[in-house]
Amino acid sequence: MSTTPTLLLLLLKQVLIDSVKITLRNKQTFLSIFALTTLPLSLLLFSLSLSSHPLKSHVFHLESLASQAPTRFEARQVWKESRDDAVSLFRIKLLYFLPSYLFSLTASVTAVTATSLAYNGKSPNLRSSLAAVKSNWSRPFATSVCNYALLIAYSLVPRTLAAAIFASSGSGFFVRVIGSGLEIYLMAVMGLGLVVSILEQRYGWEAIRVGSGLMAGKRLCGWVLSGLFVMVTAVIARKLEDVMDGQDLMEQSSTGTMTRVVVGIEEKFGWVILYGLVVLWGYVVTSVFYCECRKHHVIVSNENENDTV
């Protein structure tokens, strides 16, 4: 049965209130998880953006010059320089990827485990959450790989349809808006699938399939929750862009890059903290949403069995 507006608001209220209660009742555990995982993750992501932004802007500038070059020879020279900068940009992202992913994986397992324990009336602590990482890391790892593959594959669809089918800018914009809405829903399903892989003996595509099944009747609620976090992170990303505006795009020395990163983080350290809290809060809310969906799923299954008997 689909979620009516009243039931949607009640479920959203229940999920958010329970998330606040769980966090406040276990402040020490979640503050420890924040300090050890999502805060370092936020610092890494902000550092990556600040250090790669000038190079990325330079690549876009060179591509624009190449498209307007008067001769093919000049265009080839500009494209060569752009390709070299793109390779350097890829190396920077590769350097940041492994530590960022490890912090992200650890944050998801610890936060989801602590939230699940608290939701079920138990007292989580940092030790039990970290122990879950050691014993359960392989399942969320496999599921996260599937999530990344699914997101990359889907991200090409709206742009391809807008370019291939719709010629007018208005139609192309409409397709991108619809595609963004579907992507937010897909992120909700994948987030629930990740929680499934942490709390159940499932992983990969099966965990994502189970997560989608658990959302039956509550898909709109999952979409709204996912959209809220997308909006909050978009605001933080915009603030980060404000920091990067006006930077010297041609400054490529390691000293200049380090200075830019340190100054940028100092200027917006409050946003760095906020982003880390938002990431942690996202895991808590998604975990509570999973618990609500799982509880409803069990009740419905029992009712169906009684009807059959």
Side-chain angles (χ1 to χ4, degrees):
M1 183 174 64
S2 59
T3 306
T4 63
T6 302
L7 291 177
L8 169 64
L9 291 176
L10 288 175
L11 181 57
L12 283 172
K13 180 181 177 181
Q14 184 68 38
V15 170
L16 294 175
I17 289 177
D18 285 350
S19 300
V20 172
K21 289 180 179 178
I22 287 173
T23 305
L24 293 179
R25 288 173 182 170
N26 303 276
K27 294 188 292 292
Q28 183 175 354
T29 299
F30 285 105
L31 282 174
S32 299
I33 293 173
F34 166 74
L36 293 175
T37 60
T38 58
L39 180 58
L41 174 63
S42 180
L43 285 169
L44 280 171
L45 295 179
F46 268 68
S47 298
L48 171 60
S49 297
L50 290 167
S51 59
S52 62
H53 176 72
L55 195 57
K56 186 188 302 183
S57 299
H58 194 222
V59 169
F60 291 153
H61 176 67
L62 291 176
E63 289 178 350
S64 177
L65 289 178
S67 63
Q68 300 173 9
T71 65
R72 185 176 300 179
F73 174 79
E74 292 179 355
R76 280 201 301 266
Q77 294 299 316
V78 176
W79 277 116
K80 182 179 182 303
E81 183 179 353
S82 174
R83 186 166 57 251
D84 293 340
D85 285 348
V87 171
S88 299
L89 182 62
F90 175 77
R91 289 173 178 169
I92 292 175
K93 291 185 176 181
L94 195 62
L95 181 66
Y96 278 86
F97 172 77
L98 182 58
S100 298
Y101 180 78
L102 291 177
F103 277 119
S104 178
L105 182 64
T106 304
S108 64
V109 177
T110 52
V112 169
T113 301
T115 304
S116 177
L117 290 173
Y119 183 90
N120 291 288
K122 301 178 182 178
S123 299
N125 54 60
L126 183 61
R127 179 175 297 178
S128 62
S129 299
L130 292 176
V133 178
K134 184 178 180 180
S135 59
N136 298 335
W137 68 270
S138 59
R139 296 198 306 272
F141 169 76
T143 305
S144 66
V145 171
C146 294
N147 283 347
Y148 280 125
L150 197 57
L151 265 183
I152 292 173
Y154 179 79
S155 66
L156 302 175
V157 174
R159 285 179 293 181
T160 302
L161 288 176
I165 300 177
F166 297 93
S168 66
S169 59
S171 299
F173 174 77
F174 177 76
V175 170
R176 284 189 288 270
V177 169
I178 297 299
S180 297
L182 292 175
E183 186 175 0
I184 290 174
Y185 169 74
L186 185 62
M187 291 169 65
V189 173
M190 292 187 302
L192 210 58
L194 184 64
V195 175
V196 168
S197 68
I198 295 171
L199 299 179
E200 302 183 17
Q201 297 296 321
R202 308 173 191 271
Y203 60 91
W205 300 115
E206 183 187 7
I208 297 173
R209 178 186 60 79
V210 171
S212 177
L214 289 175
M215 285 180 66
K218 299 178 175 62
R219 300 188 189 280
L220 183 57
C221 180
W223 183 83
V224 171
L225 290 172
S226 180
L228 287 174
F229 289 110
V230 168
M231 285 192 297
V232 173
T233 53
V235 171
I236 297 174
R238 180 56 195 167
K239 292 298 181 180
L240 180 60
E241 289 180 4
D242 292 341
V243 173
M244 295 184 294
D245 286 344
Q247 289 182 342
D248 184 3
L249 300 184
M250 300 306 295
E251 177 59 68
Q252 300 294 334
S253 69
S254 58
T255 303
T257 300
M258 181 62 68
T259 302
R260 181 169 53 250
V261 170
V262 171
V263 172
I265 290 178
E266 285 181 350
E267 289 180 355
K268 296 295 181 181
F269 190 69
W271 291 99
V272 175
I273 294 176
L274 178 60
Y275 182 77
L277 291 174
V278 168
V279 172
L280 179 61
W281 179 248
Y283 288 132
V284 173
V285 171
T286 305
S287 302
V288 172
F289 181 57
Y290 160 84
C291 292
E292 289 289 331
C293 291
R294 176 53 76 186
K295 181 172 65 176
H296 173 78
H297 185 75
V298 171
I299 293 174
V300 171
S301 298
N302 291 336
E303 289 177 351
N304 291 337
E305 289 178 1
N306 293 334
D307 291 341
T308 302
V309 174

